[in-house]
Each structure stands twice: as C-alpha cells, then as structure tokens.
Amino acid sequence: METFFDQLAIGASTGALYALLALALVFIFRATDIVNFAQGEMAMFNTYIGWSISRPLSFSWIPFLSIERHINILNWHPEVFGIPLFLGSESDGSTRLGYLLIVIGTVAIAFVMGGLIERLIIRPSEGKNLLNAVIVTLGIFAIVNSIANWRYGPVPQNYPAPFKGNAVDFGLFKLGQHSLFALIVGVAMMFAIYVFFQRTKLGLAVRAAALNPQASELMGINTGQMLTLGWSLAAAIGCLAGMLVAPSVAGISPNLMLGVLLYAFAAAVLGGLDSALGAVVGGLAVGIGQTMVVQYIGSEWSDIVAFGLIIGILMVKPTGIFGSPVVKKV
Amino acid sequence: MLEVKNIRAAYGPVTALHDISLSVPEGQIVTVLGANGAGKSTTLRVISGLLRPSAGTVLFEGRPIHGKPADWIVRQRICHVPEGRQIFATLTVEANLSLGAYTRRDKPGIKADLQRVFDYFPRLAERRNQVAGTLSGGEQQMLAIGRALMARPRLLLLDEPSLGLAPLVVRDIFKIIRTINEEDRVTILLIEQDAKLALSVASYGYVLETGRVVVNEPAADLARNETVRKSYLGY
Ligand SMILES: Nc1ncnc2c1ncn2[C@@H]1O[C@H](COP(=O)(O)OP(=O)(O)OP(=O)(O)O)[C@@H](O)[C@H]1O
Ligand SMILES: [Mg+2]
C-alpha cells in the first residue's frame, strides 16, 4: 500500500520532469515571445533518436567486414558513479552503447537540432506577426508527430533506464529507483540551469539578449547567436526530460510527450510564462497535485482538476504566480 | 579618428539621412545639434552598426566600418550610449555593468574599470545590487554611461545624456563627460538638445536639419553665431 508520502515523492519526481519541460518553454518564450508548441514533440523525436542509438549495433551490413567477431571486445562493464557505461553485449555479437553515452549523444543531437530549427524554420518565418511563428511551431508539432508515427509506429517500445531495481526505502517514504533517478537528475539540471543563467557571462548574455536585443548588440553580444543557443538549450533540456519520461511510462511512443507537454504548459502558465522560478514551482505543484488527484479522487479527474485550477488561477491572476505584469516590449 | 562621408540612410520608405558628412578628430569632443527628427540619433545608429546606410562610408582610423554588425563595431571599442538609456531594467546595476565588459577578457582590467566607474558615479556603487529599473532617471543615465565605459571605449557616442534630468544632475554628468575625455582620453561624439551646454564642452559642432548638415564650425564660433542660434538652436 502506498502511503501519502510515497505519493508525494512520486509526484515530486513527475513534477521535476514537468518543470524541466516548462523551463524549456519559458526560455523560448522569454527570448522570442513565442510559445513553442513543438517543445514536447521535439523532445519525443530526440528521445526516439536515443532509442535508435540504444538498439543493438550490427556492422554486418558493411561489405567484406565481419566486425561482429571483434565487437565482443566491448564485452566489458566500466562504470561511472555506478552507472554502467555499456549495458553489456548481446549474445549475437552485437553490442549496446552504454546509457551515459546514449544520453550524451542524444542530448548533443537535440542541442544541434534545436539550433537548426531556430535558424532554418523559426527565424525566417517570424516576420511581423508573432502568430506566424506560433503557427509554425504547431506545424512542427504535427509534422514531427506524423514522422514519428510513420518511422517508428504507434506501438510503445522499451526504453533503457540505468536503474531498474527495487524501490529505495527512505523510512518516511519509498521511491522507485527510476523515479528517484529522475528526481535527482531533474533537480541537478535545474541547479545547472540556475548556475548557467545567474553565474556565467554567457548565461547573462542570453538573458540580456532576451530582455533588450538592441542594447545587447551595443554591448557586443551577437543576439542572433544567443537566440539559437536558447533554442538549442531548450531542445536539449526537453530531450533529457523525454529520456527520463519514457522508461517510467509504457515506453517510448509517438504520443510520449503529449500529456507531459500539456502538464508542462499548465506548470509554466501557473508559475508565470516568463518566470524560471515559476516553471520549477509550477512543475512540482502540478506533478504532486496530479499524483494526489489520481490517487485520492480518480485518474479521470486528473486533467479536469489540473486544468480547472489553472483556468481559475489565470482568471484571478493572469500573469501566473511569479510572472511579471505584462509589459509589452517595444 | 572617425570620418563619416556622404551617408544616406532610411527606415523602410522613410529617408532619415540624405547626406551626412562629419569628422571626429582623436581626443576631441564633437557635438551634433539639431531639431527633433533632424537625424541625429540616426547618424549615431549608422556609426554603431544598428542601421545600415544605403550609401556613403564610415571610416574608423582609416578603415571602413559601415555595414559591419553592431557587435563587431563594439569590439573596435566604439561604444554607443543610446537615446533613452536602454539599460537592462530587470538586471542589477552590477549585471548591467558587467554586460558592458562583455567583449573583454582581461579580468584585472575589468575590475579596475568597475572601480573607476564607481569613482565617477558613487551612487552606482551604493546601488550595485539594486535592480536597474528601479533607479531614478539620473542614476539610469549614469548607469548607461558607466556601462559603456566598461568596454573601455576609444570613441564614445552619447545620445542626449541630459534627457529628462534635473539641472544639477546634468551639470554633474557633463563634468564627468569632460573628465572622461580629458583624463581617460576618450574621443566623444555628443548629441544634445541643450546646445549651449554641448557647445561649452565641445571643440567642434555640426548642426543637422532634415538629414543634412547645414552648418559646421568650431564650437566657439557656433556659440557666437547669432543667425545659427536663432534659426536652429533656439536660444
Ligand atoms: N525606427 C524608425 N522607423 C521609421 N522612421 C524613423 C525611425 N527612427 C527614426 N525615424 C525617422 O527618422 C528621422 C530622424 O530621426 P532621429 O531619431 O534620427 O532624429 P533625432 O535628430 O535624433 O531627433 P530627436 O532630437 O527627437 O531625438 C525622423 O523623421 C524620424 O521620424
Ligand atoms: Mg534622437
């Protein structure tokens, strides 16, 4: 039987992932005034790329090269902080890249893709009307979802997780190993994001470029580059969230991030779309609230309560809890 | 040091500058005067790379800089303090100042310059952790100038530093502008509505009207020129 505190811990873990995606939404919104509806689908697609990388590798398609023989050399199990670098070899002589390598590779790809999307699609379509760009993100949403359905099919696939063992007992509450891992990674990412924006020169420049592009140019900041960097970071963070979500649901499927994105939106709007702190608090609140509603009222009430509450809050305080009052940029 | 030759510039269909030429010799203060809408700010925007001229050249130490991106021009240590200050309102005073030094890597030099800015403007030192948007107008102007100084400029472009300030504050700011020019040997191109004040610190002056230079003379002559004063400067 799961106790109230178990639920609280699970909610916090889910909430940390909502918070990550909400942070990604907030970055892009602050930098460009665009609400990126494609955030979740970008994350889903990148998570699929991680899944592809995690599949057994076979080199038998390379002519004249029977590399399968030698691949067994990789049958070793180095670890970094207890996380296996390689998940081990298959009996057929192929191998799986280790979890850490998958994460690093996938996040790097997501980073590049996020930047490319900004440069090649968003920037040329921005024009005079902010709505253009929003429609474009909706378009990316639909296209990416369709490609994933066509390429990978609708059936959920297993997704690697580094920790799959029994729940850890903290006395007051128990938490599954993967949920604990997600919570730790989520909190660590938030801390890293905080340090980047508050303590580094580059982070400060990204913020400045979002606040006042023209003044930033006069400081010598290449604001175009900062915008691209913002999208890259948002994509990388979203991708990391996706890779943590996939093992805790049925696995990866094209609809992996649909629900998550909705709740992340709820979190971002609840906290204030332009507030990073709001995204974190909103994410945790939504995650915990959702878990509690599912447990004590019924899962069918999850969406109703969450969004009912959010609509209610927006009617009372349209800027969200931590958002700054709407001052339109000139 | 700076040569602007036959610049033409437009905002979409609106031509703001028809033909502007001016030169700023090293170590001097040169002022640009003129009525509202004459094209003063636009001239600075062309120099600092915020606006591409449609014709003409801008030479800095003999090398063409027109059409180059603004962030490249800052690296040549040409710093523009724009009209209306344009500080980063939600960042602290200190963050604003450190953004001014964005193009620099020399930590000790940056630290020394921060100290120098605080010496010029002790009010900024007292308020270093305050959010810049909550500063008074005068303090914001000090911050805008201080932020530009953090890039250790060789040429400083000042757009109406006295805008909206009490006379006493204006006097202080102009005293500091003079010091920056004399002690730090920063060359200054100054735009000012208060022609009398500007001519008192400048060595040379240009008067613009609807995108053209109509008069250019040593500042002392301009100040004495009755016709110019009556028809363009209004004092
Ligand atoms: N962003 C803009 N878009 C269109 N036209 C502009 C823009 N900025 C300035 N202008 C026009 O260009 C002309 C010159 O403007 P500018 O700002 O250079 O004048 P100014 O001499 O600085 O005036 P002021 O003393 O009022 O600051 C004006 O006619 C103005 O309407
Ligand atoms: Mg002006």
Side-chain angles (χ1 to χ4, degrees):
Chain A
M1 177 61 206
E2 286 173 327
T3 67
F4 172 79
F5 290 106
D6 291 342
Q7 294 299 326
L8 201 62
I10 292 170
S13 169
T14 315
L17 299 182
Y18 293 160
L20 280 186
L21 208 63
L23 276 173
L25 291 169
V26 167
F27 290 167
I28 290 184
F29 182 76
R30 281 225 295 218
T32 56
D33 277 349
I34 294 171
V35 175
N36 181 17
F37 287 101
Q39 191 72 60
E41 299 311 274
M42 284 160 60
M44 175 273 292
F45 198 80
N46 285 315
T47 305
Y48 261 115
I49 290 176
W51 175 77
S52 313
I53 301 176
S54 76
R55 308 271 296 155
L57 299 178
S58 170
F59 297 93
S60 55
W61 46 272
I62 303 176
F64 314 115
L65 201 66
S66 54
I67 227 164
E68 293 98 314
R69 287 273 175 85
H70 310 284
I71 218 77
N72 273 336
I73 294 166
L74 293 179
N75 199 356
W76 52 303
H77 304 278
E79 292 186 346
V80 174
F81 302 123
I83 303 170
L85 221 45
F86 296 104
L87 290 186
S89 296
E90 306 294 299
S91 49
D92 60 359
S94 59
T95 188
R96 286 170 185 271
L97 284 172
Y99 186 77
L100 205 59
L101 289 185
I102 295 168
V103 171
I104 292 169
T106 310
V107 168
I109 291 171
F111 186 87
V112 173
M113 291 227 321
L116 285 178
I117 287 179
E118 193 275 327
R119 273 289 152 102
L120 302 180
I121 305 177
I122 303 296
R123 196 176 298 190
S125 64
E126 232 173 345
K128 299 241 179 297
N129 193 342
L130 270 183
L131 197 57
N132 289 0
V134 172
I135 303 283
V136 167
T137 69
L138 277 173
I140 298 173
F141 174 102
I143 291 170
V144 169
N145 191 279
S146 306
I147 292 177
N149 261 306
W150 161 63
R151 186 78 186 74
Y152 301 109
V155 182
Q157 310 275 359
N158 253 330
Y159 203 81
F163 302 105
K164 296 184 230 186
N166 291 331
V168 184
D169 197 337
F170 289 92
L172 193 57
F173 61 89
K174 295 187 295 297
L175 189 58
Q177 282 192 11
H178 182 73
S179 297
L180 181 62
F181 178 66
L183 182 60
I184 291 171
V185 172
V187 171
M189 277 309 294
M190 289 173 212
F191 184 70
I193 291 166
Y194 174 82
V195 170
F196 174 72
F197 281 104
Q198 299 293 328
R199 294 277 176 270
T200 72
K201 194 168 152 178
L202 188 60
L204 186 59
V206 176
R207 288 165 71 202
L211 281 174
N212 188 336
Q214 189 160 308
S216 303
E217 291 277 331
L218 292 179
M219 304 296 106
I221 297 166
N222 184 332
T223 51
Q225 267 172 20
M226 297 302 129
L227 225 57
T228 309
L229 180 63
W231 275 78
S232 283
L233 283 177
I237 292 164
C239 166
L240 201 66
M243 297 181 80
L244 291 171
V245 170
S248 46
V249 294
I252 185 169
S253 70
N255 290 341
L256 176 71
M257 300 303 274
L258 285 187
V260 181
L261 181 72
L262 275 183
Y263 283 103
F265 260 124
V269 170
L270 178 64
L273 245 181
D274 61 353
S275 161
L277 175 67
V280 171
V281 174
L284 290 176
V286 169
I288 292 170
Q290 181 199 16
T291 313
M292 294 298 167
V293 168
V294 170
Q295 176 74 4
Y296 297 108
I297 306 180
S299 58
E300 68 278 10
W301 282 90
S302 165
D303 289 1
I304 301 175
V305 172
F307 291 97
L309 209 65
I310 276 138
I311 292 172
I313 284 175
L314 285 185
M315 286 165 65
V316 179
K317 195 167 184 314
T319 54
I321 299 170
F322 295 97
S324 40
V326 184
V327 192
K328 231 25 236 171
K329 288 183 211 158
V330 270
Chain B
M1 177 178 237
L2 183 80
E3 289 287 337
V4 174
K5 287 185 193 157
N6 307 108
I7 283 293
R8 210 183 143 76
Y11 296 99
V14 186
T15 301
L17 303 182
H18 291 278
D19 180 11
I20 300 281
S21 297
L22 55 86
S23 80
V24 185
E26 179 144 23
Q28 309 218 339
I29 300 180
V30 171
T31 185
V32 175
L33 308 169
N36 294 130
K40 306 181 296 294
S41 299
T42 306
T43 304
L44 290 200
R45 292 166 59 83
V46 167
I47 297 170
S48 65
L50 290 178
L51 185 67
R52 249 166 218 274
S54 46
T57 54
V58 181
L59 303 179
F60 183 61
E61 303 191 309
R63 291 192 301 151
I65 61 165
H66 52 275
K68 291 274 203 311
D71 61 294
W72 183 87
I73 287 177
V74 177
R75 277 165 230 275
Q76 314 312 305
R77 291 168 51 204
I78 299 176
C79 297
H80 181 174
V81 180
E83 192 170 12
R85 296 148 198 155
Q86 307 277 342
I87 53 163
F88 299 105
T90 57
L91 302 182
T92 63
V93 168
E94 201 161 2
N96 270 273
L97 290 173
S98 71
L99 280 165
Y102 180 75
T103 53
R104 298 173 58 183
R105 302 250 172 273
D106 56 322
K107 281 230 170 78
I110 294 174
K111 219 174 156 192
D113 284 349
L114 185 65
Q115 197 47 55
R116 185 142 182 88
V117 168
F118 285 155
D119 289 345
Y120 279 138
F121 306 111
R123 277 155 176 264
L124 294 184
E126 290 161 25
R127 290 165 173 74
R128 57 195 296 168
N129 294 318
Q130 191 173 325
V131 171
T134 62
L135 295 176
S136 77
E139 289 159 356
Q140 290 189 12
Q141 186 63 57
M142 295 172 196
L143 180 58
I145 296 174
R147 188 177 62 175
L149 291 180
M150 290 302 293
R152 197 174 275 181
R154 303 186 52 216
L155 174 64
L156 190 59
L157 312 171
L158 292 174
D159 197 340
E160 300 200 26
S162 72
L163 191 76
L165 305 186
L168 277 179
V169 182
V170 173
R171 210 191 55 194
D172 285 349
I173 289 205
F174 268 76
K175 215 186 277 169
I176 288 163
I177 290 173
R178 214 175 210 151
T179 317
I180 292 168
N181 172 250
E182 284 166 7
E183 287 180 20
D184 302 341
R185 294 208 297 284
V186 178
T187 310
I188 295 174
L189 181 56
L190 170 72
I191 290 183
E192 192 39 71
Q193 287 296 348
D194 188 336
K196 196 171 168 185
L197 188 61
L199 291 172
S200 74
V201 296
S203 58
Y204 204 89
Y206 291 81
V207 180
L208 307 193
E209 194 186 41
T210 55
R212 290 190 177 79
V213 177
V214 284
V215 186
N216 70 94
E217 274 182 344
D221 297 348
L222 262 182
R224 278 194 300 268
N225 189 328
E226 197 75 23
T227 10
V228 170
R229 258 172 48 182
K230 290 241 160 63
S231 46
Y232 298 113
L233 307 181
Y235 74 92

